[in-house]
Amino acid sequence: AGDTNDAGGPAADAAGDVLAPSDGPGGGRVSAKRPRVAPSFGDIMSPHMTGVTLPNGFSPLQRLLLTANGNVERIVSSFYYEPLTVLVNLNHKRSPCVYDRQVTMLVRGEPFLHAKSTIYLTDPAWEEMVERRGTPLGAVFRVMGVLPTFHLRSVGRGRDSSGSGFFWRVYTLASQGMTCEITETFADDTFEKRSRGSALDASLASTDGHGIPV
């Protein structure tokens, strides 16, 4: 997804501090007066989700990604009105019923997300689905017809060795048969990728700026 400064771990911000939700590990720098995230987002995860209070320092769009419960791909694809590219960099069985997985997402040919996951199979039926039937790890929840519980554990931001900014989150997806511990690192410019000749740019060029064809 590299080390904690450039590819997906809890990292320090420019001031050397880790930002975390008040109920996450290392919570602090959080005001009790800030509004709390609603406990349910009505998307694809179980409604039994833990609300958190996000620290200051994130833009509205960054907060949207930090609290997304399984729909990051849809959010970014909808923003650009373009499909995304998903690259599976690692899909490794560490030990019986434990897998490591790393994924990169790209938009307009540029990476904006690196994700590291450790996946634990905790039920024989789920183990059979993956290890004997070959069901992809990313599809097991859907195939089993289960909505996992989403728990956002911590968030933060920092800069890599080249000076590029990023922000990250650590969260858990859990059900009776499988638990996923996931760290996602987003580029600061996730919503600022520009490319001439894109479908969205071409569409805007043929309208009056309000979506009306000219």
Side-chain angles (χ1 to χ4, degrees):
D3 60 27
T4 57
N5 282 336
D6 59 12
D13 65 5
D17 298 320
V18 170
L19 308 178
S22 59
D23 58 355
R29 298 181 60 181
V30 179
S31 169
K33 295 181 180 180
R34 295 184 193 131
R36 293 181 64 81
V37 177
S40 177
F41 300 90
D43 291 313
I44 65 171
M45 297 299 154
S46 165
H48 305 292
M49 293 182 292
T50 301
V52 298
T53 302
L54 296 179
N56 287 328
F58 297 103
S59 71
L61 287 174
Q62 289 174 342
R63 292 197 298 270
L64 183 65
L65 292 181
L66 290 172
T67 57
N69 61 336
N71 58 345
V72 165
E73 183 174 358
R74 185 179 69 191
I75 290 171
V76 177
S77 179
S78 297
F79 179 85
Y80 285 101
Y81 198 46
E82 295 181 14
L84 307 183
T85 300
V86 180
L87 302 178
V88 179
N89 305 316
L90 177 69
N91 193 18
H92 171 68
K93 183 178 180 180
R94 183 196 303 181
S95 60
C97 300
V98 180
Y99 291 82
D100 293 311
R101 182 176 170 87
Q102 296 183 18
V103 171
T104 299
M105 285 190 186
L106 300 89
V107 62
R108 297 185 171 181
E110 295 187 40
F112 70 89
L113 165 65
H114 297 290
K116 290 181 176 181
S117 306
T118 300
I119 300 165
Y120 302 90
L121 300 175
T122 56
D123 184 277
W126 292 61
E127 179 182 356
E128 179 179 0
M129 184 66 65
V130 172
E131 300 194 352
R132 296 185 181 180
R133 300 188 185 182
T135 303
L137 288 168
V140 175
F141 285 126
R142 175 175 55 79
V143 171
M144 297 298 287
V146 172
L147 297 179
T149 297
F150 172 87
H151 183 187
L152 181 61
R153 297 188 174 279
S154 59
V155 302
R157 60 188 313 123
R159 294 189 179 278
D160 61 23
S161 57
S162 69
S164 298
F166 63 87
F167 58 102
W168 55 265
R169 66 174 181 167
V170 178
Y171 65 97
T172 301
L173 300 179
S175 70
Q176 184 176 358
M178 187 167 77
T179 297
C180 305
E181 297 178 352
I182 304 170
T183 299
E184 291 178 341
T185 303
F186 301 90
D188 268 354
D189 64 350
T190 291
F191 292 105
E192 300 171 4
K193 307 295 186 183
R194 293 292 178 257
S195 175
R196 293 183 179 180
S198 70
L200 178 60
D201 292 339
S203 175
L204 292 177
S206 62
T207 69
D208 63 359
H210 300 283
I212 306 300
V214 295

